[in-house]
Every structure is written in structure tokens, then in C-alpha cells.
């Protein structure tokens, strides 16, 4: 069976999404604990393969994880989801930056083994949902991070010609306003990664659930979440240094221009004064 994760937007309206999906015949799963906030779980009537019911996890942060769901059903859910997205991402990017893991139900404790999820077949439905939630939570982080990695790569591409231009002594073809806009994009991206997400800390939900925390942590390590965040922050730091350099360069140019304007005005004033003195003497 297959588990697939997509990040499609910055955020979802989960309440409205739940009502919309229910009207289309999907069933909401309400067995999650109260502290599993900002999550919507929906059941699918016909799963892709026998052996496990189809389940979909929607995270408010803008990611959806499909467990054993048919491609046709997945496509329909994604269409419904479009109406409840806040700041959606490009469709091509969404499908390019997805995560797919195979999973099976076996005897013994649930675990992630060599890139395959193995779920304990003896667990009841509520416990299975919780374990799927732990795996899905890590997959949600990975696909969100993948979208931001793509955004940063696009940003880097937009400024990669600047260091060579400075090295060659050419003019930087960016205005002061454009440089400030670039700096704003970097600050916004850094804020999303380090302040508004759970990339660097384990969520409180897992503190008193050691078995789920182990599944979550191992999946995050398999997906290299911490290392990818570190690499992104290093790239962001280099980009910030470059934009600072550009801003200082433009500030110096503006200051030099003002100095020359002052010199020219003083020169004009001196010439007028000399002309006035000359005519008085004459």
C-alpha cells in the first residue's frame, strides 16, 4: 500500500473543508485526542487496496497525507481542497515536491524500516490512526520544507548574477526598493522555517506518548528534516549577507550622488557670486 503527502498551500480552512468533504460522501474521523489540534482526518469509502481503510490527514499548515487512497479519489479530494486553500502553491510544484512511502501491515511493533512503514496489524482503529498521524506529521514537515527549498532556490537564481557583476565592476541593476523587497522575502522565509513551524522541536503532543514520538522522530531523521533546515538556514544567511552588501552598495551610491549634488550646487552658487562681484567691479 502507498502513503503520499502533498503541500498545496500556506494554510487550510479545516472547518469549511470538513463540511465540504462530508457533503461529498467522505466521513470525518473524530477519534483523535483533543491535543491533536489543527488536524482533520477523513475516511474514504473505497480504499486503493484491501487490508487497510483509506484515510486522509489534512494539516492546517497546508499539507495533506493520503493513506491507501485511489488516484481518482485523490484527484477529486485535491479539487475540493482548492476552494479551502489560503495562498495556494503552483500545481506543478505541488506534484513535483511530494513524498511517497510504501507501507504494509505486519505483526509486531510499528516502525519505519528501510524506507517502508510497517504498521502493527493487531492494533485497534484508534491506535492505528494515532500512529498514522505521527508518520503523517513528519511527512507534512518534509513536503512543506520541500516547497520552501524550491522557493529559496528560485530566489537564489534571481540574484546569482549579482556577485559576478560586482566582481566585474559592473552596475547592479536593482533599485533600493527592489533590494528591500528581496530582504523582506528572505526574512519571511526564515520566519516560516524557524518560528512558525515545528521543524526544530518535537511538538508537545508527543511528550507523554513515547511510542508515537519515536515513530515521529525516526521518520524525521529518515527524511533528513534537521539537516535540510540547517542547509536552508546557511543558504539564507549567505543570501542575507549578499542583500546587505547590495543595500550598502546602493546606499553608498546614493550618498555619493547627494555629495556631488551638494558640490555642484555650491559651485553654481560660487559662480553666481563671482559673476555678481565681477559686474559690480565693472
Amino acid at each position: 500500500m502507498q502513503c503520499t503527502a502533498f503541500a498545496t498551500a500556506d494554510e487550510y480552512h479545516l472547518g469549511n473543508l470538513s463540511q465540504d468533504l462530508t457533503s461529498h460522501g467522505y466521513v470525518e474521523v473524530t477519534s483523535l485526542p483533543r491535543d491533536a489540534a489543527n488536524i482533520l482526518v477523513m475516511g474514504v469509502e473505497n480504499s486503493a487496496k484491501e487490508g487497510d481503510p483509506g484515510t486522509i490527514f489534512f494539516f492546517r499548515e497546508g499539507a495533506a497525507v493520503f493513506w491507501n487512497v485511489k488516484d481518482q479519489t485523490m484527484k477529486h479530494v485535491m479539487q475540493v481542497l482548492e476552494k479551502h486553500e489560503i495562498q495556494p502553491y503552483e500545481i506543478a510544484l505541488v506534484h513535483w515536491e511530494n513524498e511517497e512511502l510504501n507501507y504494509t501491515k505486519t505483526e509486531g511493533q510499528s516502525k519505519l524500516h528501510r524506507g517502508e512503514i510497517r504498521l502493527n496489524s493487531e492494533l485497534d482503529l484508534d491506535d492505528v490512526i494515532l500512529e498514522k498521524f505521527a508518520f503523517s506529521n513528519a511527512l507534512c514537515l518534509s513536503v512543506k520544507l520541500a516547497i520552501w527549498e524550491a522557493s529559496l532556490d528560485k530566489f537564489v537564481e534571481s540574484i546569482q548574477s549579482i556577485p559576478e557583476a560586482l566582481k566585474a565592476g559592473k552596475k547592479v541593476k536593482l533599485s533600493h526598493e527592489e533590494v528591500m523587497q528581496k530582504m523582506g522575502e528572505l526574512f519571511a522565509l526564515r520566519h516560516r522555517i524557524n518560528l512558525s513551524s515545528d521543524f526544530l522541536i518535537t511538538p508537545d503532543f508527543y511528550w507523554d506518548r513515547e511510542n508515537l514520538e519515536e515513530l515521529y522522530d525516526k521518520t524525521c531523521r529518515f527524511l533528513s528534516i534537521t539537516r535540510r533546515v540547517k542547509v536552508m538556514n546557511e543558504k539564507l544567511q549567505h543570501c542575507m549577507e549578499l542583500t546587505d552588501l547590495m543595500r550598502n552598495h546602493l546606499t553608498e551610491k546614493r550618498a555619493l550622488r547627494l555629495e556631488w549634488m551638494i558640490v555642484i550646487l555650491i559651485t553654481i552658487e560660487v559662480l553666481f557670486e563671482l559673476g555678481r562681484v565681477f559686474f559690480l567691479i565693472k
Side-chain angles (χ1 to χ4, degrees):
M1 293 171 284
Q2 197 168 62
C3 170
T4 308
F6 298 95
T8 68
D10 278 351
E11 196 173 331
Y12 295 151
H13 288 294
L14 292 183
N16 296 338
L17 176 61
S18 174
Q19 295 177 4
D20 201 355
L21 288 173
T22 302
S23 69
H24 284 85
Y26 300 94
V27 180
E28 183 175 356
V29 178
T30 57
S31 58
L32 281 176
R34 289 184 177 181
D35 54 344
N38 305 323
I39 178 75
L40 171 66
V41 186
M42 303 297 293
V44 178
E45 184 176 351
N46 297 316
S47 54
K49 295 183 179 180
E50 295 183 359
D52 191 50
T55 312
I56 312 171
F57 291 80
F58 298 96
F59 292 85
R60 190 190 66 177
E61 292 83 1
V65 185
F66 298 83
W67 292 78
N68 198 25
V69 176
K70 294 180 179 179
D71 289 341
Q72 185 178 357
T73 304
M74 195 183 302
K75 184 178 180 181
H76 176 255
V77 170
M78 296 285 274
Q79 289 174 346
V80 175
L81 186 59
E82 289 178 0
K83 296 182 289 185
H84 307 282
E85 295 173 342
I86 300 173
Q87 295 185 348
Y89 304 139
E90 296 178 11
I91 295 177
L93 186 61
V94 168
H95 289 278
W96 181 260
E97 300 294 348
N98 70 334
E99 289 281 2
E100 291 185 357
L101 290 177
N102 292 327
Y103 81 97
T104 184
K105 301 197 82 170
T106 60
E107 295 181 357
Q109 189 175 359
S110 299
K111 60 184 177 180
L112 180 67
H113 181 70
R114 294 183 178 179
E116 182 182 74
I117 297 173
R118 297 184 178 181
L119 295 175
N120 187 349
S121 59
E122 299 177 356
L123 294 176
D124 59 29
L125 181 60
D126 289 351
D127 289 333
V128 171
I129 290 293
L130 281 175
E131 291 193 346
K132 285 183 177 180
F133 169 74
F135 287 116
S136 299
N137 201 348
L139 287 167
C140 166
L141 295 182
S142 182
V143 289
K144 289 291 288 186
L145 184 57
I147 293 291
W148 293 337
E149 285 170 334
S151 299
L152 181 57
D153 289 342
K154 186 177 180 180
F155 179 89
V156 171
E157 185 179 349
S158 71
I159 63 172
Q160 65 181 0
S161 61
I162 294 173
E164 292 299 324
L166 293 174
K167 180 181 177 181
K170 298 178 181 178
K171 292 183 178 180
V172 178
K173 297 179 180 180
L174 285 176
S175 66
H176 189 268
E177 290 73 18
E178 289 173 325
V179 171
M180 295 305 294
Q181 183 181 3
K182 294 288 185 184
M183 294 185 71
E185 291 178 21
L186 287 175
F187 276 118
L189 193 54
R190 175 173 280 183
H191 173 80
R192 289 174 181 174
I193 295 169
N194 297 294
L195 297 180
S196 62
S197 62
D198 295 324
F199 286 124
L200 302 178
I201 59 172
T202 301
D204 296 348
F205 175 80
Y206 300 105
W207 284 4
D208 56 351
R209 299 177 175 91
E210 293 183 3
N211 61 320
L212 297 180
E213 182 180 3
E214 184 178 358
L215 296 178
Y216 171 81
D217 286 340
K218 284 188 175 180
T219 309
C220 285
R221 286 198 295 272
F222 173 75
L223 297 169
S224 304
I225 299 294
T226 302
R227 182 184 62 80
R228 289 161 64 191
V229 170
K230 182 179 179 181
V231 170
M232 273 203 74
N233 275 321
E234 289 175 354
K235 286 185 177 181
L236 284 167
Q237 183 61 37
H238 288 307
C239 289
M240 288 298 300
E241 291 174 358
L242 179 57
T243 51
D244 276 337
L245 177 64
M246 291 158 53
R247 184 183 62 175
N248 292 335
H249 175 69
L250 292 174
T251 301
E252 289 176 1
K253 284 179 63 178
R254 178 179 291 183
L256 183 62
R257 191 181 303 117
L258 289 173
E259 289 177 3
W260 273 109
M261 288 177 63
I262 292 171
V263 169
I264 291 170
L265 289 173
I266 292 174
T267 303
I268 292 172
E269 185 178 356
V270 169
L271 290 174
F272 273 114
E273 187 64 24
L274 289 174
R276 188 178 69 83
V277 172
F278 176 77
F279 282 114
L280 285 176
I281 294 174
K282 189 174 179 181

